[in-house]
DNA sequence: TCTATATTTCGAATAATATAGAAATATATT
DNA sequence: AATATATTTCTATATTATTCGAAATATAGA
């Protein structure tokens, strides 16, 4: 029972649900997710940890980046997402997130985060 | 999107999930639910309010009792429960809860709550 | 090796949620 | 009407979650 409660808890946060829907487009690094959600890297990292512990996502290192992707093989999660897919396809937030994902890359978003830190020069 | 987040939040609490699974056995009054979960009536009432606001349960008055039941007609919720049904059927907590439900009635649980308040006289 | 980059962990502040008990409300019974 | 019962609302408190910034860790490249 706990397993299911944890999964519902994981899905019951707006930012985490957005992350999962974003990962349906393509695998993403932490700074890309941070860019789309517009929240701190450390916050993204903690959400990713929760999703990983729930078995919903997996990660692998690629150079200095950590790339996150949907875990796959979770039948229950697939059924949930399948049942809600039609709704999410039409969701304005999801559409907006996807549009941003298509514009960014792991190389670009990193430098953008730098700009912010050093004061907006651009 | 909010609608789905609210539903996941509603399902992401152990007591609320137990309530929903209990209501699959039969409609229950508030004091019966309080008896099974072993938590305060006011707490049960607030959980029921959340589940009702999420559209997962409905209620009707029967004398001085308020009887709660699964709402029905919620396709997404039905799919979730269907997908998890096999697991919950085997869950020891769910089995225990059902066993208690079969032993109690709205008339009996009310008097039991009274005993507690007046000190356990046996 | 030193520096820059990407991520994670840690610590603290804030916000949200769950809980219980007391008071209020609604209904049934006498 | 008065009393008992069932539930809800209100208030306060305790627990849990979310968030950020700073410090720590890990990797890449000069």
């Amino acid at each position: 029972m706990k397993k299911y409660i944890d999964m519902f808890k994981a899905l019951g946060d707006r930012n985490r649900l957005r992350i999962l829907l974003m990962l349906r487009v393509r695998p993403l690094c932490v700074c890309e997710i941070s860019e789309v959600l517009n929240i701190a890297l450390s916050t993204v990292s903690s959400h990713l940890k929760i999703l990983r512990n729930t078995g919903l996502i997996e990660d692998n290192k690629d150079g200095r980046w950590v790339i996150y992707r949907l875990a796959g093989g979770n039948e229950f999660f697939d059924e949930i997402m399948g049942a809600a897919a039609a709704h999410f396809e039409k969701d304005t937030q999801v559409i907006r997130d996807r549009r941003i994902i298509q514009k960014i890359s792991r190389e670009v978003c990193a430098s953008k985060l730098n700009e912010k830190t050093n004061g907006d020069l651009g």
Side-chain angles (χ1 to χ4, degrees), chain A:
Chain A
M1 187 165 196
K2 184 178 185 308
K3 190 183 143 197
Y4 285 81
I5 293 167
D6 287 344
M7 186 173 304
F8 290 133
K9 273 204 181 114
L11 295 169
D13 177 88
R14 165 168 282 263
N15 282 332
R16 282 195 295 268
L17 187 54
R18 281 173 72 188
I19 291 173
L20 291 170
L21 290 165
M22 285 159 61
L23 293 179
R24 279 162 71 93
V25 179
R26 63 175 168 86
L28 297 165
C29 71
V30 183
C31 63
E32 284 179 305
I33 296 169
S34 170
E35 172 81 12
V36 177
L37 297 182
N38 203 33
I39 58 176
L41 281 164
S42 58
T43 304
V44 173
S45 189
S46 98
H47 282 310
L48 291 169
K49 190 177 185 179
I50 290 167
L51 291 172
R52 180 152 31 78
N53 289 344
T54 320
L56 295 173
I57 63 173
E58 292 170 347
D59 64 284
N60 66 288
K61 281 210 143 185
D62 181 5
R64 47 195 157 184
W65 286 279
V66 179
I67 311 299
Y68 284 89
R69 61 179 180 284
L70 293 176
N74 187 327
E75 212 177 303
F76 184 60
F77 175 64
D78 289 346
E79 289 210 47
I80 288 178
M81 288 311 245
H87 175 267
F88 289 136
E89 292 304 321
K90 290 181 282 185
D91 186 277
T92 57
Q93 179 75 80
V94 174
I95 292 168
R96 241 180 297 143
D97 289 349
R98 289 190 179 165
R99 212 167 296 168
I100 300 175
I101 290 172
Q102 277 153 6
K103 285 185 196 161
I104 62 176
S105 68
R106 64 184 75 164
E107 289 83 6
V108 175
C109 76
S111 54
K112 275 195 184 175
L113 286 171
N114 256 347
E115 280 178 33
K116 283 180 190 168
T117 308
N118 305 335
D120 3 29
L121 304 168

